[in-house]
Amino acid sequence: MNKFLVLLAFSMLSLCVASASPIPCTLNMDFAVSSSTVITCGGLMFDDFQVLHPTGGAAGTVDILSGVVDPATGEIDLTFNPNLGASQDEQLLFAVWGGISQIDMSVAGSGASITERACANPIATSGFLTDLCTNAAGTAVVTPLAEISVVSNQSAVSGTFTGTSPVYIFKDIQTQDPNGQLTEFTQSFAPTTPEPVSLVLLGSGLLGLGLLRRRSRKN
């Protein structure tokens, strides 16, 4: 029995160390995002993806390059390829479920910019309120939970807002520079109630060591 408890404890501790590496998210599609795409990552779920209003010859396709969760912090990173060449534009919308209180983005490419806003209600995709945050009835404009603008080779983090679920994300992605292009940007999310895998495994390992020590004292 003692040997079993030792093995259990050290197995859990070993797993804890191994979990320091980012853990891939679960995607139900490999590439282009659409309304049927669902991403499950850490304590969050991302769905209702839409790519709208492509202009300047934009393909209107956004690919998911990767999705990982940092087990130490619970932060989730999604990397996208909007497939934009020079002087092109498109909008990306999706919903985040599970509770977030901040938005964080890094943009690569050249001559590109992304304006992002987070809304508490679904974002209008037509009519005079198109691309804006609205009230629950969808009849009036309201202030976004957060809004940031990022250009190529820079990043930005919004101020915090009250954690809510779902949060509706809107991105206006542009390469208005005649020589601009954008094939990668990364969006980071920190769940309001993260449960890092490493802490769970560490706790399990310490529990096993505790049981072993208690048994040794009884003997």
Side-chain angles (χ1 to χ4, degrees):
M1 183 64 177
N2 285 350
K3 290 182 179 180
F4 171 76
L5 289 174
V6 170
L7 179 60
L8 173 63
F10 281 100
S11 295
M12 289 301 183
L13 290 173
S14 297
L15 284 172
C16 178
V17 173
S19 71
S21 300
I23 301 171
C25 302
T26 301
L27 286 66
N28 76 336
M29 295 179 65
D30 290 331
F31 297 105
V33 300
S34 70
S35 58
S36 62
T37 299
V38 177
I39 301 174
T40 302
C41 216
L44 300 180
M45 182 180 75
F46 306 82
D47 68 0
D48 197 21
F49 286 90
Q50 300 176 71
V51 182
L52 302 175
H53 315 306
T55 61
T61 300
V62 177
D63 297 328
I64 304 169
L65 301 181
S66 65
V68 296
V69 56
D70 184 335
T73 64
E75 182 177 276
I76 294 157
D77 294 333
L78 300 181
T79 301
F80 299 91
N81 174 8
N83 298 291
L84 292 188
S87 302
Q88 296 182 344
D89 185 9
E90 64 191 7
Q91 285 75 53
L92 173 65
L93 292 80
F94 57 92
V96 186
W97 301 78
I100 61 171
S101 58
Q102 198 170 43
I103 52 176
D104 179 354
M105 181 169 53
S106 298
V107 177
S110 61
S113 67
I114 301 179
T115 297
E116 175 180 10
R117 62 182 62 100
C119 305
N121 299 299
I123 298 164
T125 57
S126 62
F128 70 99
L129 297 177
T130 298
D131 302 338
L132 299 175
C133 296
T134 68
N135 58 8
T139 57
V141 177
V142 299
T143 302
L145 297 172
E147 183 167 320
I148 55 177
S149 293
V150 189
V151 298
S152 288
N153 303 308
Q154 292 188 13
S155 61
V157 181
S158 75
T160 59
F161 51 86
T162 301
T164 184
S165 178
V167 171
Y168 298 90
I169 300 293
F170 165 84
K171 296 177 181 291
D172 184 18
I173 311 170
Q174 302 186 25
T175 53
Q176 295 303 321
D177 188 308
N179 298 312
Q181 61 84 27
L182 183 61
T183 57
E184 184 174 316
F185 68 87
T186 299
Q187 182 79 56
S188 299
F189 300 90
T192 52
T193 55
E195 296 182 5
V197 174
S198 58
L199 293 182
V200 175
L201 294 174
L202 178 60
S204 299
L206 293 176
L207 176 60
L209 288 174
L211 291 174
L212 177 59
R213 183 177 181 183
R214 182 178 180 183
R215 181 177 178 82
S216 297
R217 284 183 175 179
K218 286 184 178 180
N219 291 338

